[in-house]
Amino acid sequence: MFRRLPESDTATLRFKIDGRPATGRAGESVAAAMLAAGVVTCRTTPIGGQKRAPYCLMGVCFECLVTIDGIGNRQACLIPLTEGMDIRSQDGARDMAGEPVTEAAP
Amino acid sequence: MKHEADITVIGGGLVGTAIAFGLAQDGARVMMLDEGDIARRASRANFALVWVQAKGIGMPEYATWSKVSADGWAEFAEMLADVSDIDVAFERPGGFMMCLSEAEMEARVRGMKVLQAQPGAPLYPYEILDHAQTKKRMPAIGPDVVGSVYCDLDGHVNSLRLFRALHVAIARLGVSYRPEHAVEAIVPEKDGFRIRGPWGEVATGRVVIAAGLDNARLAPMVGLLAPVVPSKGQIIVTEKAARFLDYPVSTVRQTDEGGVMVGDSQEDLGFDTQVTYPVISLMAQRAVRMFPALAGLNVVRTWSASRVMSPDGFPIYEQSRQFPGAFVATCHSGVTLAAAHALRLAIYIQDGRLPEQMACFSARRLNVPQAA
Ligand SMILES: Cc1cc2nc3c(=O)[nH]c(=O)nc-3n(C[C@H](O)[C@H](O)[C@H](O)COP(=O)(O)OP(=O)(O)OC[C@H]3O[C@@H](n4cnc5c(N)ncnc54)[C@H](O)[C@@H]3O)c2cc1C
Ligand code: FES
């Protein structure tokens, strides 16, 4: 559905989306890389269970939440893709049970 | 004088709507005069606890009144759901007060003892738990939690839905709701009251003043006193997460929809409430020490709002001696007390007299000169 611009020729990055291997380009956001990889639905809503996809692509709408490297509710449109990222679409509310505990800022 | 309503309630916050709900259930012809949507309303900004433990030091009757309300809350929630078709998510698993130091622990335990040593105070059970005992029930606590006090009378609701349910319910019960009808003056007349504002005036048989902070101005117009002042409270709300807190804590609770609220409970001993950035960060730090997993959650909103506070912190309920038929009702825990307001206070107002055991809530107590 989405195609990269022909002039996008930055380094290729490998990542995983819902366990499947995929490739993106350095400089892309996680949302752009997911969309280019054909994954449109990135999550379901916590209360209504409705499907959601990245929408504003500029950090405002919070529709693009995904789980990245085990941490839920991350804004895919604001996070640059990095080599080896494990990206998962998110089913409902963020589940902190399996997450590594983040250090509190001092 | 032709009355447009038997009883007019001034103010459509939690206190006014709960009373109107009780009155309308009881068959009264009720009108409600309220301000518009941008009005200051504690009812839209609160922490949503239905809380009993530790309340009532200095007035044991208030401890009893809070317990009566919490005991009636399940029935109240059911009545509300029947009329409004809105489930306010009332839960009563009991609540914790978490202590982060030995000194806090001692202060909490002392507080409970002082409370229950008062003659007439309700002797409900509570448990003093150490770290390990607390952890058993709330596995999410961090190592800084020294212990807690647990009381099975405490609970919480979805407060925004409560506010909405009350408004839907009173509309369905035929209460004539008039928004954008700020009251400027109440004028006692021979057989009732005339209520005026920039919108015009209405004549009513009786009047209930439940206008939050404006009670201070309105009550004296009918010979009553309600010297309430704003007391700032602040709240932090996080993104929604899968349930990991099964019980409300006096300053941290996870809502039925998954968001975590952090508040600066008034009941929190020795916790000064001011609207300052350091307070918000202190609230967040304390919450994270209680539940380390919170550190990873994103905050989506913070806000501050004014509690409606009487000089001694206790409710004021009174009928005017000079102008019978005029009542005032005000308190700082309108969520907790909503059930008592709907199921009890409304009936007393309907009957035209507050029973003897309510006399302690008269504002006349505030005129007694205090010993220095
Ligand atoms: C931060 C915070 C946390 C809280 N946490 C809790 C909690 O956990 N549990 C709990 O039980 N309580 C809690 N409370 C308290 C609770 O929210 C209040 O007790 C309750 O909302 C007060 O309701 P009220 O109807 O008296 O006042 P308000 O909600 O202020 O409503 C007053 C109403 O009167 C209207 N009004 C004012 N003047 C006029 C006028 N002249 N004419 C017509 N209408 C008028 C206003 O527009 C408004 O609609 C908290 C409050 C705050 C601020
Ligand atoms: S797409 Fe709108 S915040 Fe990410």
Side-chain angles (χ1 to χ4, degrees), chain A residues 72-106:
Chain A
N73 274 9
R74 306 209 58 200
Q75 276 174 285
C77 71
L78 291 186
I79 295 170
L81 184 71
T82 55
E83 176 70 23
M85 259 185 178
D86 179 12
I87 303 165
R88 293 184 179 271
S89 49
Q90 192 175 309
D91 188 17
R94 173 177 178 183
D95 189 357
M96 305 220 300
E99 290 186 9
V101 169
T102 319
E103 271 299 300

Side-chain angles (χ1 to χ4, degrees), chain B residues 48-53 63-77 87-96 122 124-125 137 150-158 243 245-249 253-254 256 335-337 339-340 343:
Chain B
L49 294 175
V50 174
W51 203 259
V52 178
Q53 78 168 290
T64 303
W65 184 239
S66 298
K67 181 175 181 300
V68 161
S69 195
D71 288 345
W73 237 100
E75 182 194 348
F76 171 61
D87 175 6
V88 300
F90 173 63
E91 277 186 72
R92 201 187 195 190
F96 287 86
Y124 52 77
R137 292 188 216 176
Y150 169 81
C151 173
D152 66 3
L153 299 177
D154 301 322
H156 56 167
V157 298
N158 181 313
R243 167 94 42 135
L245 297 179
D246 289 332
Y247 302 85
V249 173
R253 58 178 284 266
Q254 189 169 21
D256 58 311
V335 181
T336 304
L337 296 177
L343 303 176

Side-chain angles (χ1 to χ4, degrees), chain B residues 287-332:
Chain B
V288 167
R289 286 174 66 201
M290 290 176 196
F291 304 106
L294 287 176
L297 274 182
N298 295 303
V299 167
V300 293
R301 266 184 295 282
T302 65
W303 67 76
S304 76
S306 300
R307 292 189 176 82
V308 182
M309 199 58 78
S310 64
D312 58 5
F314 301 121
I316 297 173
Y317 307 115
E318 191 158 14
Q319 173 165 209
S320 175
R321 290 175 168 184
Q322 201 181 347
F323 303 108
F327 295 82
V328 65
T330 193
C331 68
H332 75 65

Side-chain angles (χ1 to χ4, degrees), chain B residues 11 15 34-35 39 41-43 46-47 49 183 214 332-336:
Chain B
V15 174
D34 197 9
E35 295 179 307
R41 286 180 174 129
S43 302
N46 61 65
F47 194 60
L49 294 175
V183 171
D214 212 22
H332 75 65
S333 285
V335 181
T336 304

